[in-house]
């Protein structure tokens, strides 16, 4: 498996055509090949998808904003820096502050999650497939904390052209025992793999 | 980034020398190079570490076994297949059934987690570095469910030669805003990336 950053993307805003920019980027693989080919998976940080879709709003009232993006609050914690709320969004995602993000955006604004990340993934996939003539998959990611573990990892919040889960239940292991629980979240693992080559604070949002 | 499975490993038991077997494996990279080199990270499923360490026991009383590996129970759920308990282990890990695993083991036995996964990682790293003469890192993984998300992903439970967390807090983003929350769980992301090339039911435990 080869994982590379898509270099040289400009700052993304609502005038950006993400698929076109990714298509024009100089993608070079360890095996010496270049560009996108059949079976490649393009992993895109949700923040730039939201920026390209114009899903950026004024950050005046953070609490109201979180409410507007949530269907319920699961946990609230008060701490030195303020209040953290773990909520469920209208997408069904459970995460801190409804995924509203104030980093790497213009002062005074925040980025919301894409309204329909699966639809965004399908649209970008279709555009990229038209541009490249290749069969591709697209994963849109967001960075999330985890219960009971320190640190954040990237997960898939929207996908097109691949399955989110690889279900091994019912298959047999090497000793003939039927697997009961083994459903691997491959889209999330792909999101995490891509995060290792992307640069959070350095503006590399696509791998 | 290149991620490859370590092929051809035999079934591991308490007579196996994992470092020696990994050293002797035919590791081929997409860029045409072979073998381990400086900076490579060897990712090993905890199950084979436990097997090599002889940490396999009779599966007679699963509930007592879970108790013996736990310091507290966080949640208990009764369902059609039995009872699932989310517990905290003596390591501090929170996971289902204390990580006790009945898949890919001899009938009538289960595999416990390594007693001290960081120590196991350090030992295997040292042995591999001696064999190869290269500077390496080792990550020992386990497969875990997540609160609020379907499917399992691989996480790091023991490491040597790298940091578990990449702490960006205090750094500035592209707009000069100081990052407050951004601590990336890179060891877990490495575990997930490696899982994409390993084969759960097909006996490829190392990448």
């Amino acid at each position: 498996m080869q994982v590379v950053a898509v270099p040289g993307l400009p700052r993304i805003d609502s005038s950006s055509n993400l698929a076109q920019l990714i298509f024009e980027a100089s993608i070079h693989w360890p095996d010496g090949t270049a560009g996108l080919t059949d079976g490649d998976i393009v992993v895109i940080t949700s923040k730039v998808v939201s920026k390209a879709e114009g899903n950026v709003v004024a950050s005046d009232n953070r609490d109201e904003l979180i409410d507007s993006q949530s269907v319920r609050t699961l946990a609230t914690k008060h701490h030195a820096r303020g209040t953290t709320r773990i909520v469920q969004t209208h997408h069904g995602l459970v995460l801190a502050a409804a995924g509203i993000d104030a980093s790497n955006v213009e002062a005074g604004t925040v980025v919301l999650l894409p309204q329909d990340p699966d639809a965004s993934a399908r649209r970008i996939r279709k555009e990229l497939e038209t541009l490249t003539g290749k069969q591709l998959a697209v994963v849109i990611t967001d960075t999330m904390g985890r219960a009971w573990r320190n640190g954040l990892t990237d997960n898939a919040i929207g996908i097109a052209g691949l399955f989110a889960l690889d279900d091994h239940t019912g298959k047999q292991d090497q000793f003939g025992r039927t697997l009961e629980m083994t459903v691997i979240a491959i889209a999330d693992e792909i999101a995490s793999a891509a995060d290792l080559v992307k640069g959070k604070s350095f503006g590399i949002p696509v791998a």
Side-chain angles (χ1 to χ4, degrees), chain A residues 11-177:
Chain A
R11 280 191 192 173
I12 305 298
D13 60 29
S14 60
S15 71
S16 306
N17 181 328
L18 266 182
Q20 184 70 36
L21 290 168
I22 293 167
F23 173 63
E24 290 169 357
S26 291
I27 301 172
H28 291 279
W29 301 93
D31 68 4
T33 60
L36 293 170
T37 191
D38 286 337
D40 283 348
I41 303 168
V42 179
V43 183
I44 310 173
T45 303
S46 59
K47 192 181 306 184
V48 298
V49 175
S50 286
K51 284 181 175 180
E53 293 177 351
N55 215 3
V56 180
V57 299
S59 58
D60 301 339
N61 192 326
R62 186 176 170 80
D63 235 37
E64 271 181 26
L65 261 182
I66 294 174
D67 282 339
S68 76
Q69 302 295 305
S70 307
V71 294
R72 63 181 177 127
T73 298
L74 283 86
T76 303
K77 184 169 186 177
H78 303 282
H79 47 74
R81 281 191 311 272
T83 301
T84 297
R85 284 166 61 193
I86 308 295
V87 303
Q88 182 166 23
T89 69
H90 67 88
H91 318 88
L93 300 167
V94 174
L95 32 59
I100 295 171
D101 195 338
S103 66
N104 280 306
V105 292
E106 300 278 359
T109 67
V110 292
V111 177
L112 309 180
L113 290 180
Q115 193 66 23
D116 183 344
D118 283 325
S120 303
R122 283 194 297 271
R123 177 180 52 75
I124 295 168
R125 179 188 183 214
K126 194 174 169 187
E127 292 172 10
L128 269 174
E129 288 192 334
T130 301
L131 288 164
T132 60
K134 306 293 182 185
Q135 289 201 304
L136 305 170
V138 168
V139 175
I140 295 176
T141 67
D142 198 46
T143 306
M144 302 182 192
R146 294 90 48 86
W148 306 309
R149 289 185 75 78
N150 288 326
L152 313 172
T153 61
D154 273 14
N155 284 312
I157 65 167
I159 58 174
L162 79 169
F163 292 105
L165 301 173
D166 183 15
D167 190 346
H168 292 246
T169 58
K171 294 184 193 171
Q172 294 201 328
D173 71 14
Q174 294 184 290
F175 293 83
R177 189 174 178 285

